[in-house]
Amino acid sequence: MKAVGIIPARFASTRYPGKPLVLLNGKSMIQRVYEQAQKADLQEVVIATDDERIRQHVEDFGGKVVMTATHHQSGTDRCHEAYSLLGQTYEVVVNIQGDEPFIQPEQINRVLQCFAQPQAQIATLIKAVQSTEELFNPNSPKVVIGAQQQALYFSRHPIPYLRGVEQPDWLSAHPFYKHIGIYGYRSTVLTELTQLQPSSLEKAESLEQLRWLEHGYRIVTAVTDLETIGIDTPADLEKALAFLQGMEGR
């Protein structure tokens, strides 16, 4: 299966402007994501940006980059434009978050393996929720899955609701999964997704993947035991630096 990894990278982040260029022990976040993605079973890895500073930086460290429009509302739209600019055909496009410098190649490969199922149109990762704090954190979307590992619904609220069980006991009474924000799309499906209008469920939860479910697309999930560390704020950077120091101290 021929697959390309695309890493959307915006400079103008609302909560953390310029975060793709922040340094973690002397190496930028975007470079770390790029190098991790290159270790996966992808034929090509490309950074998609709308900022000249990021473009120049990527070229300086020898990465491949394409310039995309500034108006995109989502990483999916930016991925699609970047894919259309490559001039090559791939069966699968993987959208790799540009703010997760410790993404593991095994996680990307797990997404790719989902497409061995002919019915898989979109693929993503899920991970078992480990704490009550995580379970009730609205910034960590949860997902319920069907008998064939297909996503049934995503929510910022814990789902399913456990009737007759006190909330402190939910985690011990039922398995819950959180969503890990990496997506794979069949390239033909990616084109279709960009033509969809925002849906009512998407607007309610502020979760783009609900637009796809509401329009009937099948999202296949794979379970990962590996944790990711996304960097959305300067405080997250401090946590990432501590994690990195722990890794390098082993």
Side-chain angles (χ1 to χ4, degrees):
M1 177 170 37
K2 196 175 179 184
V4 59
I6 297 178
I7 308 169
R10 293 176 60 246
F11 189 91
S13 169
T14 303
R15 287 187 287 179
Y16 198 170
K19 69 178 180 178
L21 300 182
V22 299
L23 297 179
L24 290 87
N25 285 12
K27 187 178 291 187
S28 72
M29 180 163 62
I30 195 63
Q31 183 175 354
R32 288 184 178 276
V33 177
Y34 184 85
E35 291 176 353
Q36 288 297 98
Q38 284 195 307
K39 299 173 186 176
D41 296 331
L42 299 164
Q43 280 64 57
E44 188 172 19
V45 178
V46 181
I47 292 170
T49 189
D50 59 359
D51 190 272
E52 182 62 27
R53 289 161 290 189
I54 295 175
R55 183 197 67 79
Q56 186 62 59
H57 173 66
V58 174
E59 291 183 348
D60 287 345
F61 71 69
K64 181 165 184 177
V65 60
V66 294
M67 292 295 292
T68 55
T70 59
H71 64 265
H72 293 304
Q73 297 298 308
S74 70
T76 303
D77 292 332
R78 195 174 304 281
C79 272
H80 179 257
E81 184 190 358
Y83 174 66
S84 68
L85 293 172
L86 293 179
Q88 298 186 55
T89 300
Y90 291 92
E91 184 179 351
V92 171
V93 179
V94 182
N95 179 350
I96 301 165
Q97 299 296 313
D99 58 4
E100 293 191 354
F102 309 115
I103 183 78
Q104 295 299 307
E106 300 96 310
Q107 293 175 301
I108 299 171
N109 291 341
R110 288 286 286 149
V111 171
L112 292 173
Q113 290 160 9
C114 290
F115 291 98
Q117 305 176 45
Q119 70 272 28
Q121 296 176 296
I122 306 165
T124 194
L125 295 182
I126 61 175
K127 184 178 184 295
V129 174
Q130 301 293 330
S131 69
T132 300
E133 179 184 5
E134 190 174 61
L135 180 62
F136 290 93
N137 180 1
N139 294 318
S140 178
K142 269 61 68 173
V143 57
V144 288
I145 57 175
Q148 297 178 320
Q149 292 283 105
Q150 79 276 21
L152 300 177
Y153 192 74
F154 296 83
S155 180
R156 295 187 181 278
H157 192 278
I159 49 174
Y161 175 82
L162 299 189
R163 184 178 180 183
V165 180
E166 295 295 324
Q167 287 191 354
D169 299 325
W170 278 21
L171 205 55
S172 59
H174 185 86
F176 289 85
Y177 294 97
K178 68 175 182 177
H179 180 222
I180 304 295
I182 178 174
Y183 294 107
Y185 326 86
R186 293 199 187 274
S187 56
T188 52
V189 170
L190 176 58
T191 299
E192 294 172 5
L193 296 181
T194 62
Q195 307 305 312
L196 301 177
Q197 294 301 310
S199 70
S200 59
L201 292 176
E202 174 190 8
K203 292 176 181 177
E205 297 253 21
S206 190
L207 293 173
E208 181 188 18
Q209 59 269 39
L210 292 177
R211 183 192 314 186
W212 311 334
L213 287 180
E214 199 166 352
H215 282 88
Y217 286 90
R218 185 182 183 88
I219 305 176
V220 173
T221 70
V223 177
T224 178
D225 294 326
L226 300 172
E227 190 58 85
T228 58
I229 299 179
I231 300 176
D232 291 320
T233 67
D236 293 335
L237 177 62
E238 295 304 315
K239 296 177 185 177
L241 286 170
F243 178 80
L244 182 59
Q245 290 168 359
M247 287 180 59
E248 294 180 344
R250 292 176 184 174

